[in-house]
Amino acid sequence: MDLAAFIESGVGMVGASAGDDLVPEAFRLWGVSWDPDGHLRALISSDATRTLATVKPGAWLSLTFVDMTMRSVQVKGRAVSGPELPNRADVEVMRRYRTDMVAAFATRGVPSLLLDAIRPLAVFALTVAVEELYNQTPGPKAGARFGEHQ
Amino acid sequence: MNEPSFDLASMPGCFDGVIPPLIATCSAEGVPNATNLSQLHYVDASHVALSNQFFSKTTANLADNPRASVLVTDSETGNTYRLSLHFERSETSGALFEELRASIDAIAAMMGATEIFKLRAADVYRVLDCEHLTGPKIEP
């Protein structure tokens, strides 16, 4: 699967982190991009306060992408660094993602007003070194590993 | 037992499946897992249920670590909530199981995927906390 193309097609993006206490936190993503080193830069809702407070370099993260046909991919990887403020390129990624997402959800009758109500006031960025890819599409192959990344 | 500080019954739009919720769990080794859900189900004032269909990793994680986090959006108000959950039990028969199975069967029929969507169990969680995130803030 061409993950880069898939995740740029307006798919739903969700994720999870966990602190040293093993308490997980679910969060939504509002865009991702690949950096020059092949790492995934994820833009995470600022309401993910546990993630913001606890993720440090080396911490595991789970990011799941699903399209309107329920085709789904899960990425697991480790944080390269701690949370960062979004830069100008991130803002453009968010803007593009919002446009693509509104178009994708409109095919299911979900109004843009509802999506805008869900959007956070701010995001932070986490850079993730992808280590594992899993097929999450519902069905008998759900949970199967795609193979080593890169 | 203290009364919960949240009112799940006042959030029916969180339980209609219009906006897919998501669940996060964590393994004993500290590896989180994020999975989309078809629907969150109201059980009572302090419990919710999830339909367990394909949750092999989620189920494995909960066996070691019962804590979970669910993000759900009320389709009627746009309010989004993060629920902190503690897994209590799986039910494979009874009224709750049948209710969830009917819901899953309806979704499967709508998607033409009746062979794929099979309910394994109704997983019941105690709600430890309900945090209001985005959306129009409604003061009590």
Side-chain angles (χ1 to χ4, degrees), chain A residues 14-19 21-28 47-49 60-66 68-70 72 74 76 105 108 110 114-115 117-121 136 138-140 142-143, chain B residues 18-36 54 56-57 61 65 67-75 77-80 82 111 116-117 131 133-136:
Chain A
V14 300
S17 72
D21 57 3
L22 304 184
V23 175
E25 182 176 68
F27 52 79
R28 294 190 194 281
D47 55 49
T49 51
W60 280 98
L61 291 156
S62 167
L63 310 175
T64 298
F65 305 89
V66 57
M68 290 297 135
T69 68
M70 297 194 70
S72 181
Q74 184 180 74
K76 286 195 175 174
F105 275 82
R108 292 296 173 93
V110 178
L114 183 54
L115 296 173
I118 299 170
R119 284 203 304 159
L121 296 175
Q136 289 276 88
Chain B
V18 171
I19 305 292
L22 66 128
I23 184 170
T25 58
C26 181
S27 74
E29 293 75 36
V31 181
N33 191 74
T35 301
N36 286 281
F54 323 104
S56 53
K57 190 61 186 173
N61 284 351
N65 174 13
R67 294 297 300 270
S69 171
V70 162
L71 211 57
V72 63
T73 296
D74 187 323
S75 67
T77 65
N79 288 308
T80 295
R82 183 180 290 113
M111 301 189 68
I116 295 175
F117 285 73
E131 179 187 4
L133 303 178
T134 58

Side-chain angles (χ1 to χ4, degrees), chain B residues 4-140:
Chain B
S5 59
F6 43 84
D7 182 10
L8 299 178
S10 71
M11 303 148 52
C14 289
F15 303 101
D16 59 13
V18 171
I19 305 292
L22 66 128
I23 184 170
T25 58
C26 181
S27 74
E29 293 75 36
V31 181
N33 191 74
T35 301
N36 286 281
L37 304 167
S38 52
Q39 195 170 347
L40 184 69
H41 299 264
Y42 176 85
V43 176
D44 60 33
S46 56
H47 291 84
V48 296
L50 302 176
S51 55
N52 184 334
Q53 302 155 79
F54 323 104
F55 296 164
S56 53
K57 190 61 186 173
T58 297
T59 301
N61 284 351
L62 291 171
D64 293 333
N65 174 13
R67 294 297 300 270
S69 171
V70 162
L71 211 57
V72 63
T73 296
D74 187 323
S75 67
E76 297 178 4
T77 65
N79 288 308
T80 295
Y81 302 89
R82 183 180 290 113
L83 307 182
S84 297
L85 305 180
H86 186 282
F87 174 68
E88 288 198 341
R89 64 186 185 277
S90 287
E91 297 184 6
T92 55
S93 64
L96 179 63
F97 180 83
E98 294 303 329
E99 181 185 337
L100 266 61
R101 181 156 68 179
S103 174
I104 292 299
D105 287 350
I107 293 171
M110 194 169 61
M111 301 189 68
T114 52
E115 294 304 312
I116 295 175
F117 285 73
K118 295 287 186 190
L119 184 64
R120 292 179 182 173
D123 290 346
V124 179
Y125 299 78
R126 181 161 43 92
V127 182
L128 304 176
D129 190 27
C130 176
E131 179 187 4
H132 179 264
L133 303 178
T134 58
K137 180 82 171 172
I138 300 172
E139 297 296 341

